[in-house]
Amino acid sequence: MENAENLIALLVAAPLLGAAVLLCGGRRLDRAGHWLGTVLAAASFVIGAVLFFDMLGRGAEERTLRQHLFSWVPVESFQADVAFQLDQLSMTFVLLITGVGTLIHVYSIGYMAHDERRRRFFGYLNLFLAAMLLLVLADNYLLLYFGWEGVGLASFLLIGFWQHKPSAATAAKKAFLVNRVGDMGLSIAIMLMFTTFGTFAFGPVLAATGETSEGMLTAIGLMLLLAACGKSAQVPLQSWLGDAMEGPTPVSALIHAATMVTAGVYLITRSGAIFNAAPDAQLAVAVVGAVTLLFGAIVGCAKDDIKKALAGSTMSQIGYMILAAGLGPVGYAFAIMHLVTHGFFKAGLFLGAGSVMHGMNDEVDMRKYGGLRKYMPVTFVTFGLGYLAIIGFPGLSGFWSKDKIIEAAFAKGGTEGWILGGVALLGAGITAYYMTRVMLMTFFGEKRWQPAPDPDTAPSVEPGIEVHPGEMPHPHESPRSMTIPMILLAFGSVFAGALFSLNGAFVNWLRPVTDFEHGHPPVSAATVTVSTVVVLLIGVGIAYAQYGRRPVPVVAPRGSLLTRAARRDLLQDDFNHIVLVRGGEHLTRSLVYLDHTLVDGVVNGTAASVGGLSGRLRKLQNGFARSYAVSMLGGTAVLIAATLLMRGV
Amino acid sequence: MNPVNYLYLAALLFTIGAAGVLIRRNAIVVFMCVELMLNACNLAFVAFSRMHGNLDGQIIAFFTMVVAAAEVVVGLAIIVSLFRSRHSASVDDASLMKL
């Protein structure tokens, strides 16, 4: 196709137009607004698909398209352009974002049908898509930063969509503030790039890593890692993700599957050349990933809130991606592959969770579910396929991508390889455990349904849905606008991994951008695969023994110390509170003390001494003309004496 | 006669004038003492003019006389109006301009 690059801007423009029209259009769009938003998201997907097939038609080396829109800030050597770059990596993200994003739009039509602010919701969703597309299509770090901040804004608006609930408003603020910490990292990284390379466009920066000192590259890499930690909810900036569940469920699906948390993985993969040249920063990435994948998995094991359990699993799965991205060219392609497959099954799982909540009076506590498979067959099957995919059941999507990451982690070599690989393997077992737990508690076992709570005492009930206090839930299958996206995502969960692994199709597709090396694990690949499956079965078995064979208590048992800590998100908020909040308070208090004593002391002391001195001096003004005459005479005498003395010298 | 003697006279007159300004309370006397100091200066200027053989000092003496005349006009007017309002010519009585 001629001039295919001219279409790139349309990818961003379509959802951006939707956001502008829906947010500025006012109430007269209330009736059709959700269709407009969905159609524009779908339009963006269609354009993405056209560009994808166009890209397939060209040779591997000619696939990168560039479009220069306009010069944004042209100042001497500081050249910031609004320019797009569409290569295989961006293309993958574009299809994921617009594809899964469109399905979530369709789902939201049904899910938000009773919300009177639905038009605004779709405007925010479109804004989210536009910002994320800008992020992955930018050809320089500054424009990427623009999209990065746009994503932060949209997530703030969506997490706090039900802002009348104080918990939602707080969660939105928390997400925004924690993200700011990461954003600082990105802005410092960009400044360092500009001072080091004199530019921040991807091409020149990534090409110039060979001639730069490793120390500087390590600094840039660590700052980029901090940024990725913020957006992708990695330790130590992970605390916002669990609270972000306060947003409507489609928002959770969008944040966890298509946008937002994938941005950090994109950033690290895109900056691969920098990390390859700075092994220390790269190792830090892998360690952060490994720590987070265990952290998220442990949190996921203890949560009774279905959405929070899924949030823990997202944290853990993103940890896998970051771990893979920290392994260098061995892992980049698998990080992205896991990202895409995770996009399918995590979106499916979240939409399934939303569907369950929809049928259960918006109850989120899994201890009050049970036996739902008969009442919600479509949700059960799609959720079940997503479940099998995420635990890495052989043949399904998650298996193909996660197994490769574990293999690549072992291939790191040496003690590091054994530790990282062991952690990844252990994580797979824990994943199997907590996901089986979610599955059993929700769809199997006896019914543990509880009457709907009084909305006054339980403000977490989502608005717009009629809930009568004391009424028993009567679960039903969700409307078709909700089930069809779930079915489509389930197809992705089942087949995407195998399709990508066919002749290494995905790896070959990404190879020109991310480079690829075959890892050589110390044990054979088959051994890794078999042990992964064994660990998985052990995890499933333990969960079945605990939650399948024994009845699930409606009130959570006290649990072990670890369980209680995990219920409190492994004390992340307590840690933040004690170290950061208290620490900050102590710091400000000591600064205030210093200000009062030292700074004010100097200032007040000066003022008091000047005041006292002038109080004495003013006695000289006594009104007696003869006294003034003496002063004048004395002064003159002193002046004359001084003049004579100076002349003598 | 040695012109230095004129300088001695000028110094003597200035000292007498200054002492009078500081010691006496009667505004008229203080005023006369100020005039005495001015004229002592004039004498010194003229003496210096003679010693240096140029006219600068004499010209300044004329200026001083003009300023002194103007000052007398203003000063006497102030003293007279002060006397009218307070029935006193003492400079210490007019000591209200203070904090």
Side-chain angles (χ1 to χ4, degrees):
Chain A
M1 189 167 60
E2 292 286 311
N3 299 329
E5 65 268 15
N6 291 338
L7 286 174
I8 300 176
L10 285 181
L11 281 172
V12 184
L16 198 60
L17 175 75
V21 170
L22 289 175
L23 294 179
C24 305
R27 296 201 167 278
R28 73 194 81 113
L29 287 172
D30 271 353
R31 288 180 57 200
H34 47 283
W35 290 113
L36 180 69
T38 311
V39 165
L40 284 170
S44 190
F45 176 67
V46 170
I47 299 168
V50 168
L51 284 169
F52 174 65
F53 287 113
D54 178 56
M55 187 181 273
L56 282 184
R58 276 174 284 130
E61 298 306 318
E62 302 154 12
R63 284 182 172 168
T64 305
L65 290 177
R66 288 170 204 289
Q67 183 185 19
H68 183 271
L69 272 193
F70 55 91
S71 286
W72 184 14
V73 190
V75 184
E76 288 280 328
S77 64
F78 185 97
Q79 291 293 335
D81 294 336
V82 174
F84 298 124
Q85 169 185 329
L86 184 72
D87 56 14
Q88 290 89 330
L89 182 62
S90 314
M91 192 72 240
T92 313
F93 270 88
V94 165
L95 289 179
L96 176 73
I97 295 164
T98 54
V100 174
T102 305
L103 292 179
I104 292 171
H105 273 75
V106 174
Y107 178 91
S108 304
I109 294 175
Y111 192 85
M112 301 297 282
H114 303 285
D115 198 299
E116 59 187 21
R117 291 162 72 229
R118 177 162 69 163
R119 169 182 57 82
R120 185 177 290 270
F121 183 76
F122 275 82
Y124 292 158
L125 283 188
N126 275 357
L127 183 65
F128 212 158
L129 287 193
M132 192 68 194
L133 287 168
L134 191 64
L135 196 165
V136 299
L137 285 171
D139 91 327
N140 59 68
Y141 280 98
L142 201 66
L143 191 60
L144 179 146
Y145 189 56
F146 189 82
W148 188 270
E149 291 297 319
V151 169
L153 168 70
S155 66
F156 169 78
L157 293 170
L158 283 169
I159 293 169
F161 185 70
W162 287 319
Q163 75 251 72
H164 54 86
K165 286 198 296 182
S167 56
T170 314
K173 264 188 285 185
K174 184 173 177 185
F176 198 73
L177 287 176
V178 175
N179 268 294
R180 296 302 316 167
V181 180
D183 298 346
M184 278 310 297
L186 185 54
S187 63
I188 293 173
I190 293 173
M191 291 176 211
L192 286 178
M193 276 175 205
F194 186 70
T195 52
T196 315
F197 304 106
T199 174
F200 32 70
F202 289 148
V205 168
L206 299 179
T209 49
E211 305 107 55
T212 315
S213 76
E214 193 181 316
M216 179 52 81
L217 288 176
T218 307
I220 295 176
L222 289 177
M223 284 299 121
L224 289 175
L225 174 63
L226 180 68
C229 282
K231 270 286 178 287
S232 291
Q234 300 294 294
V235 175
L237 298 178
Q238 80 290 9
S239 62
W240 64 271
L241 193 71
D243 291 321
M245 294 300 111
E246 288 294 337
T249 309
V251 174
S252 309
L254 197 59
I255 288 179
H256 288 235
T259 58
M260 190 87 180
V261 295
T262 57
V265 184
Y266 173 79
L267 183 68
I268 289 180
T269 311
R270 176 59 83 192
S271 315
I274 294 175
F275 286 99
N276 292 344
D280 291 339
Q282 198 161 40
L283 185 65
V285 174
V287 169
V288 164
V291 169
T292 311
L293 86 84
L294 277 188
F295 190 103
I298 293 171
V299 169
C301 290
K303 290 287 182 187
D304 289 328
D305 180 328
I306 186 168
K307 284 174 74 179
K308 292 201 169 160
L310 290 177
S313 97
T314 300
M315 206 187 282
S316 170
Q317 301 302 316
I318 303 280
Y320 272 106
M321 297 169 211
I322 297 278
L323 167 64
L327 297 172
V330 181
Y332 289 133
F334 299 128
I336 302 301
M337 184 161 138
H338 194 53
L339 193 151
V340 176
T341 54
H342 174 259
F344 285 120
F345 54 69
K346 185 48 64 69
L349 287 171
F350 262 112
L351 297 188
S355 172
V356 169
M357 287 161 59
H358 207 67
M360 291 294 284
N361 290 348
D362 281 308
E363 180 62 64
V364 290
D365 188 350
M366 293 188 293
R367 293 187 182 276
K368 297 173 184 166
Y369 290 166
L372 287 175
R373 67 182 183 282
K374 278 180 228 139
Y375 300 89
M376 309 175 90
V378 180
T379 307
F380 168 62
V381 171
T382 54
F383 196 93
L385 290 173
Y387 153 73
L388 289 176
I390 194 175
I391 66 171
F393 192 80
L396 274 75
S397 287
F399 168 75
W400 298 101
S401 47
K402 199 189 288 183
D403 187 53
K404 288 288 182 196
I405 292 177
I406 297 173
E407 216 174 278
F410 276 116
K412 173 97 175 153
T415 328
E416 291 165 14
W418 283 106
I419 294 174
L420 293 177
V423 166
L425 198 58
L426 180 63
I430 306 179
T431 307
Y433 171 78
Y434 67 74
M435 284 312 298
T436 311
R437 176 175 174 272
V438 169
M439 197 68 196
L440 291 173
M441 285 172 89
T442 306
F443 292 104
F444 292 89
E446 76 282 25
K447 300 171 192 168
R448 299 179 301 274
W449 307 347
Q450 303 290 315
D454 188 1
D456 297 332
T457 57
S460 70
V461 172
E462 300 188 0
I465 297 170
E466 295 283 316
V467 175
H468 305 292
E471 187 192 19
M472 285 302 281
H474 33 82
H476 51 272
E477 194 50 84
S478 298
R480 198 162 296 164
S481 68
M482 287 165 71
T483 52
I484 287 175
M486 284 153 60
I487 293 167
L488 290 175
L489 287 168
F491 272 105
S493 314
V494 176
F495 298 113
L499 200 67
F500 291 161
S501 302
L502 217 61
N503 295 330
F506 197 80
V507 172
N508 289 333
W509 159 254
L510 277 185
R511 191 197 288 265
V513 185
T514 60
D515 205 3
F516 179 69
E517 289 168 14
H518 269 292
H520 300 288
V523 289
S524 73
T527 318
V528 174
T529 308
V530 169
S531 43
T532 310
V533 173
V534 168
V535 168
L536 183 162
L537 290 176
I538 293 173
V540 173
I542 296 175
Y544 181 71
Q546 285 187 349
Y547 295 96
R549 298 183 48 186
R550 274 183 270 157
V552 181
V554 175
V555 178
R558 198 169 140 75
S560 67
L561 205 61
L562 181 65
T563 313
R564 272 177 281 149
R567 278 192 196 127
R568 290 175 66 90
D569 300 311
L570 286 181
L571 307 181
Q572 58 189 5
D573 287 335
D574 306 76
F575 176 82
N576 286 349
H577 188 75
I578 290 167
V579 175
L580 299 176
V581 178
R582 291 267 180 78
E585 277 174 358
H586 280 299
L587 184 68
T588 46
R589 257 189 234 129
S590 51
L591 283 177
V592 165
Y593 177 76
L594 208 65
D595 186 48
H596 280 169
T597 52
L598 196 69
V599 179
D600 286 9
V602 170
V603 171
N604 290 344
T606 313
S609 53
V610 169
L613 193 66
S614 51
R616 298 207 172 78
L617 277 177
R618 78 175 186 186
K619 298 242 169 72
L620 291 176
Q621 191 185 357
N622 52 13
F624 292 110
R626 296 187 305 146
S627 164
Y628 301 154
V630 171
S631 309
M632 282 167 71
L633 189 72
T636 317
V638 168
L639 277 179
I640 291 171
T643 315
L644 290 179
L645 273 179
M646 292 309 287
R647 185 179 289 174
V649 176
Chain B
M1 202 164 83
N2 189 352
V4 177
N5 290 338
Y6 291 101
L7 292 183
Y8 288 141
L9 181 62
L12 190 65
L13 286 175
F14 189 89
T15 311
I16 294 169
V21 168
L22 297 182
I23 293 166
R24 300 301 299 267
R25 282 186 207 147
N26 190 317
I28 302 285
V29 179
V30 169
F31 200 67
M32 291 197 307
C33 288
V34 169
E35 292 299 315
L36 199 57
M37 286 163 76
L38 284 168
N39 283 311
C41 292
N42 276 351
L43 186 56
F45 274 125
V46 174
F48 280 127
S49 176
R50 175 82 183 185
M51 282 160 79
H52 293 156
N54 60 23
L55 292 174
D56 292 0
Q58 297 192 28
I59 289 168
I60 291 179
F62 277 114
F63 274 105
T64 314
M65 276 187 240
V66 171
V67 172
E71 182 230 326
V72 166
V73 171
V74 177
L76 275 179
I78 292 172
I79 291 169
V80 167
S81 61
L82 205 62
F83 184 78
R84 276 190 187 153
S85 66
R86 305 182 156 260
H87 303 288
S88 154
S90 167
V91 286
D92 283 3
D93 285 349
S95 64
L96 296 176
M97 295 265 286
K98 63 182 171 191
L99 286 165

